Structures are given as structure tokens and as C-alpha cells.
Amino acid sequence: MAKREIKVYSDLSGANAVWADKIRKLREEKNVVMLNLIGSPGCGKTMLLEKTVERLSAKLRFAVLEGDIETTRDAERLDKLGVLVSQLVTKGACHLSAKLVHKAFVDLPLDELDMVIVENVGNLVCPAAMDIGETAKIAVLSVAEGEDKPAKYPRLFREAKGIVITKTDLLPYVSFNMRACLNDIKQINGTIPVIKVSAKDGSGMEDWVKFLTSFSEKPR
Amino acid sequence: MAKREIKVYSDLSGANAVWADKIRKLREEKNVVMLNLIGSPGCGKTMLLEKTVERLSAKLRFAVLEGDIETTRDAERLDKLGVLVSQLVTKGACHLSAKLVHKAFVDLPLDELDMVIVENVGNLVCPAAMDIGETAKIAVLSVAEGEDKPAKYPRLFREAKGIVITKTDLLPYVSFNMRACLNDIKQINGTIPVIKVSAKDGSGMEDWVKFLTSFSEKPR
């Protein structure tokens, strides 16, 4: 596959809501779904996306915006798999702003896309409070983090339209009480879909891709 | 052991630096070390502290301030072990402010303590930028998070006076390149001590306690 240049964007200031609304309007005009993946550093967002590329490419046309404080490592990982990806570098900021996302979003070939997946900066707190004009926030939680995280960091789990519990291959080696976790989630956001996946052994990946495609109203 | 009441504090506003300086001054006056543990949600800070209590109690007199956005779960876990602990609840804020820490700090029996260990809100980003008048920030990173975190979240690893790599018992089950991680750390903060521990199987715990006690100049 030909080596493409990965686009790199850095942060800008400005009123967040204005930029979020611009993204929302453009999304609706172009009929593009935008999903905002939020979770702790190391919860497995990038690996989940790596393993999603082939399966999701068979269903719809999508691009990825990779949010990080520093480095272009995550975009490089996805670029290798042939998916269209840009890197958003916040240079210290703990979340993606709508202005930075907008800058990258308008540069995408939106007429040729059904979906844009944004991987936010690894942070279970701040990105949950930031509107980037997305269709939905998706919470990502790994079993290595422990079952108490929804109760201790409720805002994300309350605002999300779906929760992915990742790294289920580690369940035999960590103390993660799935029942307690699902119970806490039910208290916070009763009807939310919860998908359990292991990007490593592939279990649950079909459910995850089905969940993603459910957001798109124009499958290819 | 008699059931004690866990003190609970909530956040307040105010200029951070003023409160950080007040803590620093009081710490120096009372000759109390204050360590600020910072790491992602679920990196194992609380379990590390649980397993530290017995070993450290034999060396010096300490208390714990537990930072969380919501719930008093972590303080309850430590209270069961007989350590003096207060819960600091930020009610949505992504880090502990110096003012909130000060409120809890001054209520501690400082004349009877050598050390206060603060467990910050689970967040690899924001607490690194917040001075709470601590003696030192300690970075906590679990092997489940991946070796790329120091490079992607450099500020904490640059400002810390020590790095604890936790959950080493999971090394056989996760792809964590220790050499690459240590190499990145060396680039960011050449001389920093790195301690590898498993709170679960106990390996490295002696090194960790030795590292903690090295901060205190008045061991019991």
C-alpha cells in the first residue's frame, strides 16, 4: 500500500459551542455520523479501532480522527491499516476542543464518508464535559481498570450512548466484578447498550461493529 | 478494630497557588512529607496503597487523603485497614485543588505524622499541572495501559520524582514493552527512579516502601 502523509493538527482557542454547532450542521448536511470515543489512557481505544478497520470497512466508509496530547503514534498505527486518519495534537490540553476537531473535520472528504470516529485524548473526566458536535459519545472501559469506574466517574457513563467494556481476555487475571459494574451502569444510565469485547481474541467484535453501523443510516 | 467515621470534604474555589503555599509552609513547619500519587483511573493506586499500609506502618506514621470525583469507596477500602484516611470529593472536577487538600490537611493530627499520601483523582493529565504544595508527585502507570503512555502524556512523567509501574503480574497477558517504556522515560526524565511492583503478588513492594521512606527524614 502506498505511504500517505498523515495530517497533523494542533489546538486553537475559541468558543467551543460555536465550533460544535458548525460540526453538527455540516454533519447533518453531509449525512455523516460522528462518534466520540472516550476512555482512560490505555483502556484500549486504539487497538479496538485497529481491529475494527477491516470489519467496519466492509459495511460503510469511515475515517478516524486521533486525539492525543503529544505524538502521532496512534495515527501511524491506523494509517498502516489503510484507513484515512488525521492526528489532532492538543499540546498539553486534556481533551479535544470542537475548534480543533472542526479544523480536521472540514478537511475530510465528507461526501465520500458515512462515519467519522474520533478517538479523544485518554481521559475519563474532561472530554465527557466537552461538546464536539458528535452524534454520540461512546464510553470505553477496560476490565483492567476495575468495575468501580462508572460509579466514580459517572458523567461520561451518563452522557454516553453506548459503553464498550474492553480487554475481556484479561478477566481471568484481574478482579473485575462484571455484575457489580453492570449494576452501577444501570443506576447511572439504565437503558444504555453495553458491548463486551476483546480486540485481542476477537470476541464481541461482531457486536461492536453491529453497534457502530446502527448509527449510520446510509450503509453502503 | 473500632469503626471510625470517614471525613468527607468537597471542593471550594480560590487561587490555587495561595493554598499550595499554605500547605508547603505547614508541611515544613510540621516536618511532614506529602506525596501526590497521580495516574489513570484503574492504574492500581488504591490497591497499591492497601498493600502498602502494613509495610509502611512499620516504618513511619502516615495518613492518606483519597481524591475522587464521586463516592467514598476508596476511603472506605483504606479505612478497613486501620489507616487514618479522609475522602476528598471534587464533585466533577478532574483534579484536586490545593484549597480542598488544605482543608483536609489542616484537620490531620500533623504533630503525630511523618507522611501524608494523597491519591489524586484518576487522571494522567490534569493533576500533573496542579500544584498542591506536595513534597513530590509520583507517577503511577499500570502495564495494562501500554508502554507508550510516558511519551503520549509527558508532563506528569517529566514533573514526577518517581514512577511506579504497577500490575507487573499481568505482564504475561498484555503486550507491554518494558524496554521501550523505560527508554521513553529516560528521554523525558533521565534520572528518575522507576519501581516495578505487583500489589497482587507482592513483588517489588519492598522497593516501593523503601522508596517512600526515602522521602521522610524522621522515621519512627
Side-chain angles (χ1 to χ4, degrees), chain A residues 71-89:
Chain A
T71 85
T72 56
R73 293 183 185 197
D74 285 359
E76 286 159 22
R77 283 169 62 182
L78 286 158
D79 179 64
K80 278 184 194 149
L81 301 172
V83 68
L84 178 61
V85 59
S86 301
Q87 180 77 50
L88 283 63
V89 180

Side-chain angles (χ1 to χ4, degrees), chain A residues 149-212:
Chain A
K149 297 305 165 292
K152 288 173 64 186
Y153 302 83
R155 180 160 186 172
L156 172 62
F157 296 90
R158 193 180 301 125
E159 301 208 352
K161 298 283 182 269
I163 298 174
V164 206
I165 299 182
T166 57
K167 305 194 189 184
T168 55
D169 56 282
L170 290 178
L171 279 171
Y173 314 113
V174 296
S175 59
F176 183 89
N177 186 331
M178 185 67 81
R179 183 182 290 191
C181 186
L182 296 176
N183 210 38
D184 281 349
I185 289 171
K186 204 175 172 182
Q187 298 294 319
I188 296 164
N189 193 338
T191 59
I192 195 169
V194 179
I195 302 113
K196 300 170 200 166
V197 302
S198 164
K200 195 174 178 183
D201 70 22
S203 66
M205 287 300 295
E206 293 301 323
D207 291 341
W208 164 241
V209 171
K210 204 171 161 185
F211 171 72
L212 288 178

Side-chain angles (χ1 to χ4, degrees), chain B residues 145-164:
Chain B
E145 292 170 65
E147 73 278 350
D148 57 352
K149 297 305 166 291
K152 289 173 63 185
Y153 302 83
R155 181 161 186 171
L156 172 62
F157 296 90
R158 194 180 301 125
E159 302 208 352
K161 298 283 181 267
I163 298 174
V164 206

Side-chain angles (χ1 to χ4, degrees), chain B residues 6 14 20 25 28 57 76 110 130 155 170 176 184 199 216:
Chain B
I6 297 171
K25 202 177 158 193
E28 282 160 15
S57 298
E76 287 160 21
L110 295 173
M130 189 61 55
R155 181 161 186 171
L170 290 178
F176 183 88
D184 281 349
S216 178

Side-chain angles (χ1 to χ4, degrees), chain B residues 17-93:
Chain B
V18 174
W19 294 102
D21 283 342
K22 285 187 189 197
I23 292 172
R24 213 160 0 244
K25 202 177 158 193
L26 189 55
R27 268 205 311 98
E28 282 160 15
E29 190 185 311
K30 300 288 186 180
N31 197 19
V32 171
V33 168
M34 186 170 98
L35 301 178
N36 181 5
L37 256 60
I38 302 175
S40 300
C43 69
K45 295 180 293 300
T46 312
M47 186 167 169
L48 179 62
L49 288 180
E50 284 178 313
K51 301 295 181 176
T52 300
V53 168
E54 195 180 321
R55 287 176 175 90
L56 191 60
S57 298
K59 309 274 185 184
L60 47 75
R61 303 162 301 169
F62 72 103
V64 174
L65 301 180
E66 271 296 336
D68 276 298
I69 292 175
E70 294 286 353
T71 84
T72 56
R73 291 184 186 198
D74 285 358
E76 287 160 21
R77 284 168 62 182
L78 286 158
D79 179 64
K80 279 184 193 148
L81 301 171
V83 68
L84 177 61
V85 58
S86 301
Q87 180 76 50
L88 282 62
V89 180
T90 68
K91 304 216 167 182

